Amino acid sequence: MSTPAPAAPARSPLSPAQKALHKLGLSRDIDLALHLPLRYEDETRITALSQAREGDCIQIEARVLRSEVSLRPRRQLKVQVDDGSDTCVLRFLNFYPSHQKAFSEGAWVRVRGEVRGGLLGREMVHPSFQAAGGPLPQALTPVYPTVAQLPQAYLRKAVLGGLSRADLSETVPAQAWPEGPQRHWSLRQSLEFLHQPRPDVELAQLEDRSHPAWQRLKAEELLAQQLSQLQARQARDAMRAPALASPGQGPMARLRERLLEALPFALTRAQQRVQAQIAADLQREQPMHRLLQGDVGSGKTVVAALAALRCIEAGWQCALMAPTEILAEQHFRKLVGWLEPLGVHTAWLTGSQRASERRAALSAAESGHAHLVVGTHAVIEDKVQFSKLGLVVIDEQHRFGVAQRLALRRKTTPDEHGCELEPHLLMMSATPIPRTLAMSYYADLDVSTIDELPPGRSPIVTKVVDEARREQIVERIAQQVGLGRQVYWVCPLIEESEAVDLRNATETHAQLAQALPGHKVGLLHSRLSAAEKKAVMAEFAGAQMAVLVSTTVIEVGVDVPNASLMVIEHAERFGLSQLHQLRGRVGRGAAASACVLLYSTGDAPRLSPAARARLQAMAQTQDGFEIARRDLEIRGPGEFLGARQSGAPLLRFADLTTDAPWLEWARAWAPTMLARQPQLASRHVQRWLGGKSDFVKA
Ligand code: ADP
Ligand code: MG
């Protein structure tokens, strides 16, 4: 364990720089020691001006020839210096009396900056400077990631202090390291080297982090992440959950069989496989934490229904939670349709319902009369009490935070010995997580994947179209609607402040209504009340409405198989997985389906490279995993996961695209280390993740 950084004397307020250190999360010595440079500056040598080429960043020692404040073209301090080989003008647009003093005529100065070839010879703009003649540093000067109020010089001192005080004894057993140059670098050597590399080092190896010292640190970081997730899993395995086994007979026996008999379709092989995995988990006495991932339309709902039925057969209640009212409502309808005939009672719980309705739902949950409670996040509120909650299903889990998941797990039931039983947890997601990311960030979850769509789905043809051709698209819609097809038209959210460049949904709605006489065009947006939204959706689902103009509220889960064309306006503004989710609303019936991505470059001559990459990916593939992989490539893991979703500390050093071999190594080694050297493992996690290890809690 490392000692905490020496605290400021009691009650003396923190200086802005100390506050900034805390903001960066640098509170312990080890945190400081692990705060590694972004890049380095070479202040170890003095270069002659005559040797420098344009654009070189060099350090010179020179005599001040002249120093003057000129007012044209704008107020600035101009200093002419001579180092014996050539002259150079230093320019400061912001300057203080201290600058003028340092550059008084005849002064000998050490200056460092980028050499530019100006009109009147060489110049440096805003170089750093000090008096000349002092000793030169022996190592490269590190430049650290920092924030406002935290000058590099202060940070460097703090880091070196932390480095000298921190406990850097080895936590990874020597035999764990595979063959390779990183074997010869201890943690202490690696850190000392990276903070103060010798000037003769291969800078490229430091910059691309391929140097053995970097390899060593990245491997240790990944190992800490794997260990902490294994610890979380062990902690979970120490918890108890009800073993949900079927009674074999009675009114609630055979619910699943009866549902399968009643369904108009047979389960796909993938659905059968994942439902068996879930069933096996539910029979265990440890809480299940399983992520069910499957592309949009892969049929996750019926798998969730089967899990709920197993729970209900065993005499326990199930709660199902969806992120939006529309989605929750759609689940509710579907589940009531499937389960009510089997004698299963379902309650509906949402924030917007009338007080009397809500009271009835709450009492049904509390008394146990409701076998299944479906709703929005209202389901997890403290006021909601269950009689015997055995299973929680969370749809679109990435839209919920860790806190909400935890709240549900607190709804425990005591067993006959007074031991609290936690509900099992099934999380569903239509955003498949690429393998390396799943291995790294979700190692504490079990993952089931539906990798097959139900038969009879038609491929969706995707076209990327310039906004300038909008009229043609409207004609195409008229044609489709004439054939009895239904169309989604998606607009970005209505935001008053963005009205300037957003053709808002209302305008589009008016335009389409005018272009399609005799057909009903509906409008759905976030400002409508829940009842209004419901009415609009019901008309579209019932096919009385031909076109639904909507903001992204239909993003997930909505299921209207007759809709075969989707137009997404300002497609360049949407994220890749969002586009994929949206497109998944069509192609659900037998009719050939299409998706049109309308883009506009606004005032810019062309789309940004990232926007173009997103639209291209959409046009090229329909495979959710491939889309997710490209999304990860375009956005990087931080954004891909979303801070809210992951609730986990992101990797600081390791890069999952280049360091996958270390990830494999960490995965292989972590269980052994945790079993053989649990104390060392704990110290390792503590060192690397400190208080930031949320896996342990989630
Ligand atoms: P998602 O995984 O996106 O939540 P849903 O559960 O909404 O997908 O399923 C999409 C549609 O496919 C629904 O209409 C559902 O009834 C239907 N479906 C699910 N499984 C099958 C299957 N095995 N065969 C045919 N249709 C199915
Ligand atoms: Mg769904």
Side-chain angles (χ1 to χ4, degrees):
M1 232 13 93
S2 66
T3 47
R11 276 193 208 88
S12 84
L14 290 179
S15 72
Q18 284 168 321
K19 276 192 203 148
L21 276 183
H22 282 275
K23 195 163 146 198
L24 277 176
L26 306 179
S27 40
R28 306 173 305 165
D29 287 333
I30 188 69
D31 297 326
L32 287 162
L34 292 174
H35 192 62
L36 291 179
L38 280 177
R39 57 186 176 83
Y40 302 91
E41 283 175 357
D42 188 353
E43 295 177 339
T44 62
R45 63 190 125 209
I46 304 292
T47 306
L49 269 172
S50 59
Q51 302 293 308
R53 282 163 314 185
E54 158 125 28
D56 282 355
C57 192
I58 58 161
Q59 179 166 261
I60 59 171
E61 286 194 339
R63 188 76 66 191
V64 176
L65 299 179
R66 227 183 340 274
S67 170
E68 60 174 15
V69 175
S70 85
L71 296 172
R72 253 174 280 261
R74 52 180 285 200
R75 196 177 127 83
Q76 55 183 278
L77 176 65
K78 279 167 64 173
V79 180
Q80 191 172 35
V81 297
D82 182 347
D83 78 342
S85 74
D86 202 350
T87 63
C88 176
V89 172
L90 317 178
R91 290 205 290 139
F92 298 89
L93 298 172
N94 299 311
F95 62 93
Y96 302 98
S98 58
H99 285 73
Q100 282 162 285
K101 203 167 147 220
F103 293 110
S104 54
E105 250 173 65
W108 194 34
V109 289
R110 183 181 294 171
V111 179
R112 188 170 187 287
E114 190 179 315
V115 186
R116 291 261 160 241
L119 225 50
L120 305 165
R122 296 169 190 279
E123 58 176 40
M124 288 186 188
V125 179
H126 286 193
S128 61
F129 60 92
Q130 56 184 294
L136 287 169
Q138 298 296 303
L140 297 179
T141 308
V143 179
Y144 292 104
T146 188
V147 289
Q149 308 274 9
L150 188 55
Q152 282 294 332
Y154 185 97
L155 185 52
R156 272 175 205 145
K157 246 195 167 135
V159 165
L160 289 184
L163 184 63
S164 66
R165 290 184 304 263
D167 165 19
L168 297 178
S169 57
E170 294 293 295
T171 43
V172 184
Q175 74 270 23
W177 293 109
E179 280 306 319
Q182 85 293 330
R183 265 194 114 126
H184 310 294
W185 289 75
S186 69
L187 177 67
R188 171 177 297 281
Q189 283 172 328
S190 303
L191 287 174
E192 284 175 351
F193 171 76
L194 290 175
H195 285 296
Q196 297 184 302
R198 291 182 305 272
D200 58 351
V201 70
E202 276 272 359
L203 259 186
Q205 274 200 340
L206 291 188
E207 270 155 22
D208 71 7
R209 304 189 170 184
S210 62
H211 191 279
W214 265 117
Q215 296 293 315
R216 166 92 197 203
L217 293 178
K218 296 200 280 193
E220 291 210 10
E221 178 181 41
L222 287 164
L223 182 63
Q225 192 193 37
Q226 292 297 319
L227 284 171
S228 112
Q229 296 192 52
L230 275 183
Q231 286 174 331
R233 186 184 278 266
Q234 284 187 346
R236 210 171 68 225
D237 284 345
M239 310 295 275
R240 289 276 159 274
L244 302 174
S246 202
Q249 51 196 355
M252 287 306 184
R254 297 189 59 247
L255 289 177
R256 283 167 302 145
E257 256 176 276
R258 287 163 60 204
L259 173 63
L260 290 174
E261 280 162 16
L263 284 177
F265 51 77
L267 295 189
T268 62
R269 278 231 292 280
Q271 282 171 319
Q272 282 170 15
R273 175 167 41 78
V274 300
Q275 87 94 18
Q277 288 166 344
I278 294 166
D281 282 0
L282 294 178
Q283 290 176 64
R284 300 182 51 207
E285 281 186 346
Q286 282 78 41
M288 167 175 83
H289 270 210
R290 190 170 280 277
L291 177 66
L292 172 58
Q293 52 177 12
D295 212 345
V296 276
S298 60
K300 295 183 289 294
T301 317
V302 69
V303 174
L306 289 167
L309 287 181
R310 170 169 283 274
C311 169
I312 296 163
E313 282 173 3
W316 289 74
Q317 291 170 292
C318 173
L320 187 149
M321 185 165 85
T324 66
E325 184 129 1
I326 285 198
L327 260 184
E329 161 117 25
Q330 186 172 282
H331 280 309
F332 180 68
R333 275 171 198 285
K334 193 157 226 166
L335 292 170
V336 166
W338 283 342
L339 308 186
E340 208 92 306
L342 308 177
V344 171
H345 297 296
T346 307
W348 167 242
L349 202 60
T350 145
S352 72
Q353 69 196 145
R354 279 205 313 275
S356 58
E357 257 183 297
R358 188 174 165 79
R359 265 200 306 278
L362 287 176
S363 95
E366 189 165 357
S367 68
H369 178 72
H371 301 113
L372 175 63
V373 180
V374 180
T376 54
H377 54 268
V379 170
I380 51 167
E381 282 165 19
D382 284 341
K383 278 166 285 184
V384 186
Q385 306 264 333
F386 292 86
S387 154
K388 287 175 81 178
L389 186 60
L391 169 67
V392 173
V393 180
I394 304 182
D395 196 16
E396 305 300 337
Q397 64 94 20
H398 57 281
R399 308 254 298 239
F400 292 99
V402 172
Q404 288 164 307
R405 251 178 270 163
L406 292 177
L408 266 172
R409 286 179 52 202
R410 279 201 297 274
K411 299 202 181 294
T412 56
T413 312
D415 70 1
E416 64 270 29
H417 311 296
C419 168
E420 291 294 327
L421 300 179
E422 252 189 44
H424 296 281
L425 188 54
L426 177 64
M427 294 170 266
M428 307 201 285
S429 171
T431 307
I433 302 160
R435 185 162 170 277
T436 48
L437 214 53
M439 273 164 49
S440 168
Y441 288 97
Y442 292 91
D444 69 323
L445 294 185
D446 294 304
V447 180
S448 292
T449 305
I450 308 185
D451 50 8
E452 168 187 20
L453 291 181
R457 296 282 162 83
S458 52
I460 306 167
V461 177
T462 300
K463 289 248 151 62
V464 179
V465 177
D466 191 323
E467 166 75 30
R469 285 169 52 204
R470 189 184 176 96
E471 294 299 326
Q472 273 167 269
I473 302 302
V474 174
E475 277 167 34
R476 170 102 184 258
I477 289 179
Q479 228 176 44
Q480 289 284 308
V481 166
L483 296 171
R485 297 278 146 67
Q486 289 174 280
V487 179
Y488 289 108
W489 185 298
V490 180
C491 307
L493 281 177
I494 300 185
E495 281 291 344
E496 221 71 27
S497 55
E498 291 179 13
V500 194
D501 57 353
L502 276 189
R503 196 188 288 265
N504 73 34
T506 317
E507 254 176 58
T508 299
H509 174 252
Q511 184 199 13
L512 290 172
Q514 199 185 17
L516 302 168
H519 292 285
K520 177 132 199 197
V521 180
L523 178 59
L524 191 65
H525 59 78
S526 53
R527 303 236 177 108
L528 296 180
S529 71
E532 288 167 319
K533 284 184 197 165
K534 200 154 121 184
V536 174
M537 273 320 291
E539 271 188 281
F540 190 64
Q544 294 106 303
M545 184 182 286
V547 180
L548 177 61
V549 177
S550 166
T551 55
T552 54
V553 287
I554 54 162
E555 178 185 336
V556 283
V558 176
D559 191 25
V560 180
N562 192 45
S564 59
L565 174 62
M566 169 167 292
V567 181
I568 303 178
E569 195 170 321
H570 277 298
E572 78 282 358
R573 297 185 179 216
F574 290 89
L576 189 45
S577 10
Q578 212 181 2
L579 287 172
H580 179 64
Q581 301 289 319
L582 283 168
R583 179 172 60 181
R585 302 304 110 213
V586 294
R588 302 189 149 224
S593 295
C595 176
V596 175
L597 302 174
L598 268 186
Y599 70 88
S600 149
T601 56
D603 293 333
R606 60 181 71 87
L607 285 175
S608 74
R612 199 204 316 250
R614 290 195 296 268
L615 297 183
Q616 264 171 3
M618 284 294 291
Q620 285 164 1
T621 177
Q622 218 177 302
D623 174 347
F625 272 94
E626 176 59 18
I627 298 243
R629 201 186 57 71
R630 298 219 199 164
D631 200 18
L632 176 61
E633 225 170 69
I634 298 171
R635 290 196 292 166
E639 274 190 71
F640 184 93
L641 289 168
R644 213 166 73 97
Q645 175 200 358
S646 70
L650 289 171
L651 292 166
R652 281 176 289 172
F653 305 139
D655 174 341
L656 294 177
T657 44
T658 52
D659 301 322
W662 282 122
L663 178 58
E664 302 279 358
W665 167 81
R667 257 165 70 88
W669 186 255
T672 317
M673 182 162 167
L674 201 55
R676 292 202 201 139
Q677 284 125 322
Q679 266 156 10
L680 217 48
S682 289
R683 258 178 61 208
H684 187 75
V685 171
Q686 191 59 31
R687 167 181 287 173
W688 276 91
L689 302 176
K692 287 172 271 183
S693 167
D694 280 350
F695 296 115
V696 180
K697 287 176 266 149

